[in-house]
Amino acid sequence: MRRTAPGVAVLVVCAVLALPGCAGGDAGAVTAEAGSNNAAAPPAPSAPPTPAAPKSALAGLIVVPGGYGADGREPSGPFTLPSFVATISGVPAEDRALLLNASFTDGYQAVRVSPDRQKQYTIRLFRTGSKRKAQDLRTGFWSQETFTAKFSVAGVPDIRTGRRVGPNGVPDEAEAVAQASFVTGNLLAQITVRQTGPITGNLQPDTTLVSTLAKQQYKRLTTKSG
C-alpha cells in the first residue's frame, strides 16, 4: 500500500480537527522568519570619496626658472595661514600676527632646485586684504632678514632687494642669498635664491637670476592678476 506523505497527513489532520495552531499565526511567523533569513544582505556602504587637493588661482601666476626641478626638501603648492605657520615659517608666532594683520586669505609657494642641487629658488605669493596691507606684510617679513647690500632691478617699481654671504651651519660650507620683494595690487611677491658652496670659495649671491625672475614675475602679475 502506498504510504501517505507526512505533509499530506498533517494537512488532513488539520482540516478534520480544525486546530487553530495549524494554520494560525505560528505558521505565518515561521514563513516570515525564513524569508528574512534568505533575503540578500544590504550592500556595504561605500567609502566616502577622497577630497581633491586644494587648488589655487595663484598657481598659474608663478614664474619658475627653466632647467630647475622640484625640490622634495620643501613643499610646493597652495598654503593657508595655519599651513604656512606650521610648515614654512621660521618664526610661527610672529608670522601668524603679520598674516592676521594683513587680512591674508591664501598663498602659493614654488620651490625649485638646480640640477646640481646647489642652488635653490623659491617664490611665494601672498594675497592680502589690500595693497596697503600687502606693503605692511612685506615690511614685517623684511624686518626678519639681515642683508649686507642691495642691488637694483630695473622695471619693477618700489622693489626691495638684499644680498648676503655667510655660514649656513654646515662645517666648511657657506650660503649666498639674494632676495627681492615687491607689491602689486593686493599681492605680495617674494623671490629668493639660495646657493651653497665651500666656505673658502668665492661664493656670490645670484642677483642676476633674482633680477630676471623679478621682472618676469612682475610682468605676469600686472597682466594676469585679478
Side-chain angles (χ1 to χ4, degrees):
M1 181 177 65
R2 186 172 61 182
R3 300 182 60 183
T4 304
V8 175
V10 172
L11 290 176
V12 172
V13 172
C14 287
V16 172
L17 299 180
L19 296 177
C22 290
D26 292 346
V30 173
T31 303
E33 183 178 352
S36 63
N37 289 339
N38 295 331
S46 57
T50 302
K55 297 181 179 180
S56 171
L58 299 178
L61 301 177
I62 294 286
V63 171
V64 295
Y68 280 51
D71 190 348
R73 295 171 295 183
E74 292 191 39
S76 291
F79 58 81
T80 60
L81 192 157
S83 63
F84 181 85
V85 169
T87 63
I88 299 176
S89 172
V91 282
E94 184 174 341
D95 283 348
R96 178 185 293 275
L98 289 174
L99 294 173
L100 287 173
N101 290 336
S103 300
F104 168 77
T105 58
D106 63 305
Y108 196 93
Q109 170 174 280
V111 184
R112 299 291 186 271
V113 66
S114 60
D116 62 4
R117 304 189 68 79
Q118 297 301 307
K119 188 181 297 185
Q120 185 191 64
Y121 162 85
T122 304
I123 181 167
R124 295 184 187 127
L125 297 180
F126 300 83
R127 194 193 306 274
T128 67
S130 66
K131 182 174 183 178
R132 181 60 186 173
K133 288 180 179 292
Q135 292 171 334
D136 291 343
L137 181 60
R138 178 179 65 171
T139 299
F141 282 151
W142 204 259
S143 67
Q144 299 171 353
E145 301 285 352
T146 302
F147 296 109
T148 57
K150 300 178 181 180
F151 57 95
S152 60
V153 179
V156 182
D158 191 30
I159 189 170
R160 292 191 182 186
T161 63
R163 50 175 287 172
R164 68 172 181 265
V165 179
N168 68 344
V170 178
D172 301 324
E173 188 174 282
E175 179 184 59
V177 179
Q179 187 175 101
S181 180
F182 63 86
V183 171
T184 174
N186 64 342
L187 294 176
L188 167 63
Q190 287 184 335
I191 301 171
T192 306
V193 173
R194 301 178 183 274
Q195 186 174 356
T196 58
I199 200 169
T200 55
N202 186 29
L203 190 64
Q204 296 296 324
D206 195 342
T207 58
T208 300
L209 176 60
V210 173
S211 299
T212 299
L213 293 170
K215 295 176 185 178
Q216 295 175 353
Q217 188 63 70
Y218 178 76
K219 182 178 180 180
R220 177 75 62 84
L221 294 178
T222 52
T223 56
K224 293 188 177 181
S225 63

